[in-house]
Amino acid sequence: MIDNSFLLFQLFVLLAHGEQFSDSPIQSIINPDIEIKNCTFGEICSGSINSSSIHFYSVEYSFDPTMAIRVITNMTYKIEQESPLLIVVRQIRGVISWTLPYTFSNGMVYSSASRILCLQNEINRTLPHTSRVFIEISTSNNALIDYSLQLENITDFLLETGVSRQFFVSPAMPIYYKFTFPPDIQNVFIDVRSTDQLCTVVSVQSFDCPVYDVSEIGTRQGHYQTMASISSFNVYASEFPKRNTFLLVFLVKPTDADCLNDQEQTAIRPSGIVDVQRRKNATVTIQPPTNYNFLYIAIFTTIGMFLMIYFLAFAIMCKHPDIYDHLAPEHLPLLEARTEREISEREDNQQGYQTFEGEENVESTSTDEYENSGGAIEVIETSNAGYVTVSDLCVKDYDYLKQKFRIYPQTMLTIAIFYSLPVIQLVLQYQLNIDASGNEDICYFNFLCTRQFAMLTAFNNVFSNIGYCALGVLFLIIVYRRDMAYARFLARYPAIGKEYGIPQHFGLFYAMGIGLFMEGLMSGCYHICPSKQNFQFDTSFMFIIAVLNIIKIYQTRHPDINP
């Protein structure tokens, strides 16, 4: 069967290029001669070629589903060469090609290149058998170019869970491995580590041909990310329902620009550099999802912890009424005694001070000069007991100020709604883009720590913000309880509320509670797709809460000032 296929191949070449066999030297250059050569698997087959000929090789190999075959090509590179070698590898159901020298857009040149044959297109891919591959070598260069090629087996082509695999990869020699999910495992964690910092693209692709393992195309297929020293993936069997198998492809970039924050700092190598040593040494390990068994435990433990905090908080609030609920007129003697003691201590401290003559003149100034200030003179006139209450300093009525301070939670709620809605839509669209394009560099994740759940790549990072939301709601409940208790207190004893203590306004506290809840929500949105553009989502309500704290501290002694 193999001999017949080889004869048919020779007949096809002769029919396709029969008109090229001519005695005319000019015709031999325009229509090159066809040279059919044999090559044994594992043998280094060499030759010399120019534009006057095309070399065809037919190599027989033994197919084994546990192995892969690599084609290694070399050439003698000379800078005066005008045209490269073109290598075309024909399989039964696919074609791959490349040129020698193997060049990149930044000018790097490699005189050696290799590709792994995509044997997944074999007619019988599950059982060992014998097959044949055809290789065509041609060039438009007039001078002879020396080359060599070799086919070799990759015996460690299959990856297994718990077994580390060390390998070397370079820009002109990509490599990939095959992994099949065991029946009892539905997802795995891929951990790739390297001792060097060469920028490399790692991609997870379906077990199909062609395999996208070249520089420009390999970064746009499957799930992929760039790595310098560490890379990791969470891969699920449901992503590959056709064969329950995937390929893990490694490709070193010609420069490190894609792995640096500031690409302008990358030293791009000049054109004409031949065979640059960019050989990456890496180790890949596929681990079963041992950590994922604890994901639900962590979720329910965290929720249970916050429920316990709520239970304790409500138990304390039910057992101990608010201070304003049991504050009554019989407590006034204690308050008055403390106030009189503070006044006497203040007067004793002031006896040691002497006033200068200029200060006495200022103090003796007629009050008529201050009548225009109105409110200030009225406040001073209310101090009949030798002291002034904070309530006396309020020019505006308490009920009026209460309504003014209600503006804070209303404004905060308005900001929260109209700021969060587009943010949620944006980050969810980012997540959909990651799933659709496979580009995991869109968002900056710590892939070693991410735990995927539902559609969220980093569910644990999103869920970790539940504390902000839970404690924000609890803070609102406590503020509401104090607000209602203070309102009941003022309804029972309106005079006491004016003469003792600081007038209480809870609008700022409500705004703080809303801000704390929104900080958890917006931080969770940021961690859906963390990036420089989204970082503002994580910090916006932090600044708002800080400003509200400053306003509250200032408002404590300036109750009628409402910025």
Side-chain angles (χ1 to χ4, degrees):
M1 179 66 183
I2 299 302
D3 295 336
N4 292 336
S5 63
F6 181 51
L7 293 175
L8 289 174
F9 169 72
Q10 291 178 323
L11 180 61
F12 167 76
V13 172
L14 292 175
L15 291 175
H17 301 275
E19 61 181 10
Q20 297 176 3
F21 293 92
S22 173
D23 295 334
S24 173
I26 298 178
Q27 287 294 329
S28 64
I29 296 176
I30 298 176
N31 299 314
D33 297 332
I34 306 300
E35 297 183 17
I36 301 176
K37 297 187 175 183
N38 289 323
C39 187
T40 305
F41 188 89
E43 175 189 359
I44 299 178
C45 304
S46 58
S48 299
I49 191 173
N50 59 11
S51 59
S52 63
S53 62
I54 296 177
H55 293 181
F56 282 93
Y57 288 87
S58 176
V59 184
E60 184 180 272
Y61 64 90
S62 297
F63 175 80
D64 190 333
T66 64
M67 296 187 300
I69 296 176
R70 187 204 307 267
V71 179
I72 304 174
T73 56
N74 296 274
M75 67 167 295
T76 303
Y77 176 74
K78 297 179 181 179
I79 195 171
E80 61 269 13
Q81 289 176 353
E82 299 177 355
S83 302
L85 288 178
L86 176 61
I87 294 95
V88 179
V89 180
R90 293 188 177 95
Q91 299 173 252
I92 295 179
R93 293 185 177 180
V95 176
I96 59 174
S97 63
W98 64 94
T99 62
L100 284 181
Y102 201 84
T103 60
F104 294 91
S105 59
N106 68 327
M108 293 174 58
V109 177
Y110 287 88
S111 62
S112 177
S114 69
R115 298 287 296 276
I116 297 177
L117 298 182
C118 188
L119 303 180
Q120 294 86 283
N121 272 349
E122 291 284 348
I123 297 177
N124 187 355
R125 70 173 72 202
T126 59
L127 298 176
H129 62 276
T130 303
S131 185
R132 187 175 290 271
V133 62
F134 307 104
I135 303 174
E136 174 187 328
I137 300 178
S138 62
T139 182
S140 297
N141 196 68
N142 293 325
L144 288 174
I145 300 177
D146 297 328
Y147 69 89
S148 65
L149 66 89
Q150 180 186 17
L151 275 71
E152 64 176 11
N153 273 328
I154 301 179
T155 56
D156 52 353
F157 180 62
L158 300 182
L159 296 177
E160 301 177 1
T161 56
V163 179
S164 299
R165 180 70 49 78
Q166 186 178 13
F167 61 92
F168 295 93
V169 59
S170 67
M173 296 184 178
I175 193 172
Y176 58 86
Y177 295 97
K178 172 185 172 183
F179 178 80
T180 301
F181 284 92
D184 57 337
I185 296 179
Q186 296 301 315
N187 63 296
V188 292
F189 179 74
I190 303 174
D191 185 6
V192 184
R193 296 178 182 267
S194 176
T195 56
D196 54 64
Q197 298 291 323
L198 296 180
C199 187
T200 305
V201 176
V202 186
S203 64
V204 177
Q205 303 179 19
S206 61
F207 184 55
D208 290 299
C209 290
V211 178
Y212 300 97
D213 57 350
V214 294
S215 180
E216 300 300 328
I217 304 177
T219 58
R220 298 196 299 269
Q221 299 296 328
H223 291 278
Y224 60 92
Q225 58 183 258
T226 55
M227 66 164 288
S229 58
I230 299 176
S231 177
S232 60
F233 288 87
N234 295 309
V235 183
Y236 292 81
S238 58
E239 300 177 28
F240 310 99
K242 188 176 180 180
R243 299 186 181 92
N244 211 29
T245 303
F246 66 85
L247 298 176
L248 189 60
V249 184
F250 300 91
L251 174 64
V252 176
K253 302 288 286 184
T255 67
D256 296 330
D258 294 335
C259 294
L260 299 178
N261 293 329
D262 189 358
Q263 297 187 6
E264 295 181 356
Q265 297 180 358
T266 307
I268 304 298
R269 296 183 180 274
S271 176
I273 301 298
V274 181
D275 294 332
V276 177
Q277 294 298 321
R278 286 182 62 84
R279 193 164 182 257
K280 191 175 188 67
N281 181 5
T283 302
V284 57
T285 306
I286 296 183
Q287 301 173 355
T290 54
N291 296 330
Y292 289 87
N293 297 330
F294 300 98
L295 181 60
Y296 292 101
I297 298 177
I299 293 174
F300 289 110
T301 301
T302 304
I303 295 176
M305 182 184 66
F306 285 108
L307 290 177
M308 184 65 66
I309 294 175
Y310 267 73
F311 175 79
L312 294 176
F314 279 100
I316 294 173
M317 287 188 289
C318 293
K319 184 177 181 180
H320 302 282
D322 192 90
I323 186 173
Y324 287 108
D325 286 331
H326 59 78
L327 188 62
E330 55 266 22
H331 298 104
L332 293 181
L334 180 61
L335 297 175
E336 292 175 352
R338 180 175 180 180
T339 304
E340 292 176 356
R341 183 174 66 254
E342 292 176 352
I343 293 174
S344 62
E345 291 177 356
R346 188 181 303 111
E347 291 176 350
D348 294 338
N349 293 334
Q350 291 178 352
Q351 289 179 359
Y353 292 96
Q354 297 179 355
T355 59
F356 293 98
E357 182 178 357
E359 295 175 343
E360 293 175 355
N361 293 335
V362 173
E363 293 177 357
S364 62
T365 304
S366 173
T367 58
D368 294 338
E369 299 178 4
Y370 297 96
E371 289 181 354
N372 294 331
S373 61
I377 195 69
E378 291 176 4
V379 171
I380 294 175
E381 288 178 352
T382 60
S383 59
N384 299 322
Y387 62 90
V388 179
T389 64
V390 178
S391 180
D392 293 334
L393 296 174
C394 296
V395 179
K396 301 174 183 178
D397 182 68
Y398 173 80
D399 293 332
Y400 173 79
L401 290 175
K402 183 178 180 180
Q403 294 300 322
K404 293 289 288 184
F405 276 97
R406 293 294 185 187
I407 296 177
Y408 283 101
Q410 296 171 2
T411 305
M412 177 67 83
L413 193 59
T414 303
I415 294 173
I417 292 174
F418 287 96
Y419 187 60
S420 61
L421 287 179
V423 168
I424 295 174
Q425 296 175 9
L426 179 65
V427 295
L428 290 180
Q429 185 60 45
Y430 277 144
Q431 182 66 58
L432 293 176
N433 290 342
I434 294 176
D435 297 335
S437 66
N439 183 7
E440 298 189 357
D441 288 339
I442 295 177
C443 309
Y444 179 77
F445 292 114
N446 183 357
F447 288 98
L448 288 176
C449 299
T450 56
R451 297 293 179 265
Q452 186 169 355
F453 183 76
M455 65 173 295
L456 300 179
T457 302
F459 171 80
N460 54 326
N461 294 338
V462 176
F463 182 75
S464 64
N465 295 281
I466 189 176
Y468 290 107
C469 299
L471 298 180
V473 173
L474 181 60
F475 183 78
L476 288 173
I477 295 173
I478 295 173
V479 172
Y480 178 78
R481 176 175 178 265
R482 172 59 60 88
D483 189 9
M484 294 297 100
Y486 187 69
R488 292 191 297 267
F489 173 74
L490 291 182
R492 293 196 304 267
Y493 314 109
I496 297 178
K498 292 183 178 182
E499 296 180 4
Y500 295 92
I502 298 174
Q504 299 294 313
H505 300 288
F506 298 93
L508 279 170
F509 287 119
Y510 283 117
M512 291 179 189
I514 297 174
L516 187 59
F517 177 85
M518 290 304 301
E519 170 57 29
L521 179 63
M522 300 304 293
S523 182
C525 291
Y526 163 73
H527 284 96
I528 291 177
C529 180
S531 64
K532 291 182 178 179
Q533 293 77 16
N534 297 348
F535 184 66
Q536 58 172 317
F537 306 154
D538 193 26
T539 57
S540 55
F541 280 90
M542 293 182 184
F543 290 109
I544 294 177
I545 294 173
V547 172
L548 291 176
N549 278 275
I550 295 173
I551 294 176
K552 182 58 187 175
I553 294 172
Y554 181 78
Q555 182 263 336
T556 300
R557 287 292 177 177
H558 305 80
D560 58 341
I561 297 179
N562 189 309

